Amino acid sequence: MKGSTLLSTSEKYVIGVDYGTLSGRAVVVRVSDGAELGTGVLNYPHAVMDAKLASTGASLPPEWALQDANDYVAVLKSAVPEALAAAGISPSDVIGIATDFTACTMVPVIEDGTPMSNLPEFNARPHAYVKLWKHHAGQPQADRINQLARERGETWLSRYGGQISSEWELAKGLQLLEEDPEIYNRMYKFVEAADWIVWQLSGKYVRNACTAGYKGNLQDGHYPSREYFAALNPDFAGFADDKIAHEIGQLGDAAGFLTEEAAGWTGLPVGIAVAVGNVDAHVTAPAAKATEPGQMVAIMGTSTCHVMNGSTLSEVPGMCGVVDGGIVSGYYGYEAGQSGVGDIFAWYVQNQVPGSYYLEAEAKGLSIHEHLTELSAGQAVGEHGLVALDWHSGNRSVLVDHELSGVLIGATLSTKAEDGYRALLESTAFGTRKIVETFRDSGVPVTEFVVAGGLIKNAVLMQMYSDILNLPLSVINSAQGPALGSAIHAAAAAGAYESVGAAAEAMGSLSKGVYQPVAERALSYDRLYAEYELLHDYFGRGENNVMKRLKAMRREAMANG
């Protein structure tokens, strides 16, 4: 960065860093108005390890998804300086940095925060690595966690819609204990990546209130009891006390201050505020000025997370959780989600679309996604004769069951690639409608639907969601919603605003009612959604467990192969 290009003014700036599934993105944001001035991106060198462990090449079992924590530090060393250079500002004018992360993404560490996968004696052991949010191999443990909680009448279970996900801390921790007890016992703490990266920036481990509540089952100041954990496995009795309990930091507060080492990585001043960690979905709500009760924010990318504030505490079947202050202080924060959305579309184009479609897309100067969307956009509702279930990565809400899998019904010899693609787009909107209606039926009405994330650029998909939900869609104005949300938290942590809400009002940005439902299409989609609901309950609520039997057969075959 050349000194002559730097602008030092009375304006102050903050950095928001968004850690996604495949990359990390840093954005420089002006404190006064939320203007985004520069961006830097780094694709994780190890990406997602879901087939082989990078260090050895050894095959991983089904449903595993690992990452290398060193990739997260690489983002700080690369994307932050890149964003600063693109913004053309003086680093001395930056007053704070905040990060957000996918969740529940867990890092097993020793006492000084070193990831256990960095230790030579554990480098070849899969359980020493980061378990990414979509690591679903702990589903058997999750099933036992849920069954025991129901048998014992554990009161915390209802705060999570009656089901605990295999994506969360308890299931991942129990799997770790039972499959590699040596690593479990050597591990100092099982740390959310959202907190681990703050630890690397500030030199201080502070556990954020958001993931502690939503992913670690902390309710009313307490984790599940030692007796409950011991009933799962005697060696698991101390899981909460020994492995996950720690000092809790509130969202928007400073966890600490940038260390000299982290300043060297990033090019930022030593001692600036480092905000308490947060989750990519929850941090987006302030960026979209969606902090009031009834505003449901859907962050749509590889998966979709739905977050919403409420003024009262209610129990919603299949929700991912309700946490006091889980999004902003003063309200109950609700969360739901879909485990696969963009991932499903990506799977389809990578595995189910003929090469001729790629040639046509290239000739038109379109991506394959744009081409398939264009081909199917003019269809009447139901014209393709298909209906799909969006469970290719399991079901997060409202069934909370990652043993479920995808379905496409109605295919004939005349079904084209664009027909299947459109049916999958619709299936994700149907899944969101199921979530919205479940909240409504539980006394938590959705009054506004706000969309953010990478998929907002697909206008056909957004209109489809509006028609299927029969709701207006408001759209965040930032293409970097989580990073902007993190920057808003950085501004609050640095004291530039008295609260996250005040910072959101000044720095957030939203376009209201961009998409409006078309009455005729909404009525037609009601008919197709009714078919989706029949399939949803038939395959998802125990009437036909063929999906689970097939997954069991697959695991058995792979184990014996």
Side-chain angles (χ1 to χ4, degrees), residues 56 149 177 266 324 333 401 455 525:
T56 64
L177 166 69
T266 59
D324 189 2
D401 191 342
L455 293 180
Y525 270 128

Side-chain angles (χ1 to χ4, degrees), residues 311-322:
S311 55
T312 59
L313 177 63
S314 297
E315 296 175 2
V316 181
M319 66 180 175
C320 298
V322 54

Side-chain angles (χ1 to χ4, degrees), residues 265-500:
W265 296 340
T266 59
L268 296 172
V270 175
I272 64 171
V274 178
V276 169
N278 210 329
V279 179
D280 50 2
H282 304 72
V283 80
T284 303
K289 292 188 175 182
T291 58
E292 295 299 315
Q295 295 178 293
M296 178 174 277
V297 183
I299 299 87
M300 300 177 61
T302 55
S303 63
T304 292
C305 191
H306 307 79
V307 297
M308 183 173 69
N309 285 306
S311 55
T312 59
L313 177 63
S314 297
E315 296 175 2
V316 181
M319 66 180 175
C320 298
V322 54
V323 175
D324 189 2
I327 301 174
V328 295
S329 62
Y331 292 121
Y332 290 99
Y334 291 87
E335 178 189 347
Q338 294 164 272
S339 293
V341 178
D343 269 354
I344 298 176
F345 311 152
W347 162 81
Y348 187 78
V349 301
Q350 290 166 8
N351 296 281
Q352 308 297 321
V353 177
S356 60
Y357 281 77
Y358 283 85
L359 295 175
E360 292 168 4
E362 184 178 4
K364 292 182 175 183
L366 301 174
S367 72
I368 188 62
H369 291 282
E370 291 168 334
H371 183 46
L372 290 169
T373 299
E374 184 180 88
L375 287 173
S376 66
Q379 291 184 3
V381 175
E383 181 179 333
H384 51 46
L386 304 170
V387 64
L389 291 175
D390 53 318
W391 299 346
H392 296 66
S393 192
N395 180 284
R396 184 183 293 163
S397 297
V398 296
L399 299 171
V400 198
D401 191 342
H402 293 289
E403 288 290 275
L404 299 174
S405 51
V407 169
L408 179 69
I409 286 182
T412 70
L413 294 178
S414 63
T415 300
K416 297 181 174 64
E418 60 265 32
D419 299 333
Y421 188 77
R422 180 179 173 115
L424 290 174
L425 297 183
E426 291 169 341
S427 76
T428 66
F430 291 150
T432 287
R433 176 167 168 174
K434 189 67 176 176
I435 291 167
V436 168
E437 291 186 351
T438 302
F439 270 79
R440 178 201 66 197
D441 295 344
S442 302
V444 188
V446 177
T447 57
E448 181 180 7
F449 198 81
V450 179
V451 288
L455 293 180
I456 63 175
K457 62 181 178 289
N458 187 330
V460 172
L461 180 63
M462 294 299 97
Q463 184 61 53
M464 188 181 290
Y465 268 67
S466 180
D467 294 336
I468 288 173
L469 295 173
N470 201 13
L471 283 172
L473 261 63
S474 300
V475 179
I476 191 173
N477 290 329
S478 173
Q480 319 296 340
L484 175 58
S486 282
I488 287 170
H489 282 74
Y497 294 94
E498 63 181 10
S499 67
V500 171

Side-chain angles (χ1 to χ4, degrees), residues 55-77:
S55 63
T56 64
S59 296
L60 295 169
E63 311 297 337
W64 278 63
L66 305 178
Q67 290 194 317
D68 189 323
N70 296 300
D71 292 351
Y72 307 149
V73 173
V75 170
L76 300 176
K77 295 177 178 179

Side-chain angles (χ1 to χ4, degrees), residues 20-210:
T21 300
L22 295 173
S23 64
R25 182 180 306 270
V27 178
V28 177
V29 178
R30 191 161 57 211
V31 170
S32 61
D33 61 1
E36 299 168 31
L37 304 178
T39 301
V41 181
L42 178 71
N43 293 326
Y44 302 142
H46 296 90
V48 178
M49 294 179 280
D50 55 7
K52 295 183 182 296
L53 189 67
S55 63
T56 64
S59 296
L60 295 169
E63 311 297 337
W64 278 63
L66 305 178
Q67 290 194 317
D68 189 323
N70 296 300
D71 292 351
Y72 307 149
V73 173
V75 170
L76 300 176
K77 295 177 178 179
S78 174
V80 174
E82 181 183 346
L84 285 169
I89 66 162
S90 171
S92 63
D93 290 325
V94 175
I95 61 173
I97 183 170
T99 57
D100 65 82
F101 234 102
T102 62
C104 169
T105 295
M106 301 301 295
V107 190
V109 303
I110 59 175
E111 286 77 359
D112 64 358
T114 300
M116 295 192 69
S117 57
N118 283 6
L119 304 180
E121 63 269 34
F122 295 127
N123 183 251
R125 305 262 279 272
H127 277 293
Y129 286 80
V130 176
K131 287 184 171 64
L132 185 61
W133 66 267
K134 63 178 181 177
H135 175 90
H136 295 147
Q139 186 63 47
Q141 284 80 12
D143 291 340
R144 287 164 46 207
I145 287 167
N146 289 319
Q147 182 61 33
L148 181 64
R150 285 190 286 267
E151 291 173 356
R152 289 171 54 96
E154 295 285 340
T155 57
W156 48 262
L157 189 63
S158 63
R159 296 282 183 94
Y160 301 93
Q163 288 273 89
I164 296 302
S165 171
S166 64
E167 295 181 359
W168 301 350
E169 294 180 18
L170 272 61
K172 284 174 173 167
L174 185 57
Q175 186 202 9
L176 171 54
L177 166 69
E178 295 181 337
E179 295 184 6
D180 200 330
E182 182 183 4
I183 287 180
Y184 179 89
N185 290 323
R186 175 67 181 85
M187 175 176 71
Y188 165 61
K189 293 288 183 183
F190 206 28
V191 180
E192 285 277 357
D195 300 325
W196 184 81
I197 200 65
V198 169
W199 193 349
Q200 307 315 298
L201 286 164
S202 68
K204 186 177 180 183
Y205 175 30
V206 176
R207 183 154 162 69
N208 76 84
C210 181

